[in-house]
Amino acid sequence: MNVPFLSLRDVNAPYSDELKAAAARVIDSGWYVMGEELASFEQEFAAYCGVTHAVGVGNGLDALSLILRGYKEMGRLRDGDEIIVPANTFIATFLAITSNRLVPVPVEPDPSTYNIDPARVAAALSAKTRAIMPVHLYGQLADMDALAEIAVRHRLLLIEDAAQAHGASRGGLRAGALGDAAGFSFFPAKNLGALGDAGAVVTRDRELALFVTALRNYGSGVKYQHIYQGFNSRLDEMQAAMLRVKLAHLDDDVTRRREVALRYRQEIRQPCLRLPAARTEEGHAWHLFVVRSAQRDVLKEHLGKRGVQCQVHYPVPVHRQPAYAALRGAHLPLTEQMHQEVLSLPLSPVMDEDAIAHVIDACNSFGAAA
């Protein structure tokens, strides 16, 4: 039996008729950028997240970048300010910071949740720290209570990188409503995925939302009147229409992801694999199911031979990338160890019971095969 890591065709198949109808609606409208589909999606996604404003942008990186640029235009951030960020994240989190002439300060994760460690955040504070940017890695919320306490005490901005956390929640609050602002990606493989690149900024801050709305559109709030040196980063009508269809099904999809993850956690008993921890069963959105093994490469080969396709998120930490050679001297041993050990197993809302059982059996057979 072959189990793909993720088949986007299968993921989108249940909504195929709705997606095609939405596409036809956009085509027939004759309006393809900055129209009613975008306005409706922004309202619906803001309501879903539990905030007052959502601004559709071109992708998740732009969402984070525009938040930081908006705060610079508002005078809340200045060149050279430091932003505390998890060391174990995708490079986009760092790129948003450095593209705004700000300084990323990487901090090690909590080894049980993989999310940024609040104690290490507190230890990393300096006179130049102006913001904390936690990443809700793999779909699990960072410890936002502890981070918010630090942010309030030191008058710091708290910006969520929620690119992997669509549908994650805590105490009735969803990802996107736990900080001053949040950036989402709707890359097709996300829990809420478009059929191309797309992203959004969400916030309760009306002033920030107005800045981001202008910045995404060439720095203009009124056509041909350019207040800022902005960008072209607009969520187009077609992707907005696709996202409106899929948003209506997001909670059901996340529920199924939790069911798959729970079976993995209950039935994978191979001691060579360290399974992910969930702070709360109901709050984790399970964008990825990431195990750890000191024999990661051998494990990946073993699973591949049994038809189980896996991926590594991410093989090389940001501070070891050539693009960030200036950070190469950072002492981040836990991050480096995790990047050598992590392996993502197949997980999607359309996995059937046979596929789930096959992945479990393949993992449990690893010790015997080794």
Side-chain angles (χ1 to χ4, degrees):
M1 182 177 189
N2 290 317
V3 182
F5 179 73
L6 180 66
S7 169
L8 292 176
R9 180 167 57 185
D10 291 345
V11 166
N12 288 318
Y15 322 124
S16 178
D17 290 344
E18 291 179 81
L19 292 169
K20 290 173 182 176
R25 186 173 69 239
V26 173
I27 293 168
D28 292 344
S29 76
W31 193 293
Y32 307 127
V33 178
M34 302 285 281
E36 292 181 3
E37 296 290 345
L38 175 59
S40 295
F41 174 70
E42 289 174 334
Q43 293 171 1
E44 292 159 9
F45 191 62
Y48 178 85
C49 293
V51 298
T52 48
H53 305 283
V55 183
V57 299
N59 54 68
L61 171 56
D62 284 358
L64 295 175
S65 298
L66 286 165
I67 290 170
L68 296 174
R69 174 64 183 278
Y71 280 129
K72 290 186 76 175
E73 294 289 350
M74 294 165 64
R76 299 287 302 275
L77 294 172
R78 294 177 175 82
D79 287 2
D81 284 348
E82 292 180 353
I83 313 293
I84 295 179
V85 66
N88 59 317
T89 184
F90 184 55
I91 196 170
T93 317
F94 280 66
L95 290 171
I97 296 169
T98 56
S99 68
N100 277 287
R101 298 176 182 165
L102 302 167
V103 179
V105 178
V107 168
E108 294 262 67
D110 178 319
S112 63
T113 65
Y114 308 154
N115 276 325
I116 195 167
D117 185 340
R120 289 183 168 98
V121 169
L125 295 173
S126 79
K128 294 184 177 180
T129 306
R130 294 294 179 270
I132 307 169
M133 187 182 284
V135 178
H136 303 314
L137 198 65
Y138 309 146
Q140 177 158 225
L141 295 177
D143 187 349
M144 296 300 290
D145 289 340
L147 295 173
E149 183 179 348
I150 295 170
V152 170
R153 188 186 321 134
H154 297 277
R155 298 182 179 179
L156 307 175
L157 295 166
L158 184 58
I159 303 164
E160 301 172 71
D161 181 338
Q164 301 183 17
H166 319 71
S169 63
R170 176 193 57 76
L173 295 175
R174 286 195 170 106
L178 300 166
D180 294 296
F184 281 89
S185 166
F186 304 122
F187 184 74
K190 303 297 186 183
N191 288 15
L192 178 60
L195 273 65
D197 273 324
V201 172
V202 302
T203 184
R204 294 189 182 93
D205 186 335
R206 181 176 181 273
E207 184 181 9
L208 176 64
L210 290 173
F211 272 99
V212 172
T213 299
L215 287 167
R216 72 170 176 188
N217 188 36
Y218 300 100
S220 172
V222 178
K223 193 171 184 178
Y224 299 132
Q225 295 182 25
H226 304 275
I227 307 169
Y228 317 106
Q229 296 179 21
F231 306 87
N232 176 10
S233 181
R234 301 174 298 201
L235 175 57
D236 67 61
E237 288 290 279
M238 188 65 75
Q239 297 305 336
M242 301 297 103
L243 289 166
R244 292 184 68 197
V245 169
K246 297 184 71 176
L247 179 59
H249 301 282
L250 177 57
D251 283 344
D252 288 341
D253 285 352
V254 171
T255 295
R256 180 56 180 163
R257 287 176 176 275
R258 289 174 181 148
E259 292 170 353
V260 176
L262 184 59
R263 277 202 63 189
Y264 282 170
R265 293 173 62 228
Q266 290 178 336
E267 299 181 35
I268 295 176
R269 300 186 179 90
Q270 170 50 250
C272 296
L273 277 66
R274 180 173 177 177
L275 301 180
R279 294 181 67 201
T280 62
E281 295 294 340
E282 70 279 5
H284 202 314
W286 294 107
H287 171 57
L288 296 172
F289 191 95
V290 181
V291 300
R292 289 176 60 188
S293 173
Q295 305 174 62
R296 190 265 308 284
D297 294 339
V298 179
L299 171 63
K300 187 173 185 288
E301 182 180 5
H302 164 82
L303 294 175
K305 288 178 178 178
R306 283 153 180 78
V308 177
Q309 185 184 41
C310 300
Q311 290 191 12
V312 177
H313 297 91
Y314 307 95
V316 181
V318 177
H319 71 282
R320 293 294 184 186
Q321 298 283 357
Y324 285 97
L327 295 174
R328 189 168 292 275
H331 182 64
L332 300 163
L334 178 56
T335 294
E336 293 183 8
Q337 180 184 359
M338 288 177 63
H339 281 257
Q340 293 170 0
E341 295 180 351
V342 292
L343 185 68
S344 301
L345 302 183
L347 191 156
S348 86
V350 294
M351 285 184 74
D352 62 28
E353 299 305 315
D354 289 343
I356 298 167
H358 186 73
V359 174
I360 292 168
D361 290 343
C363 288
N364 286 337
S365 69
F366 176 56

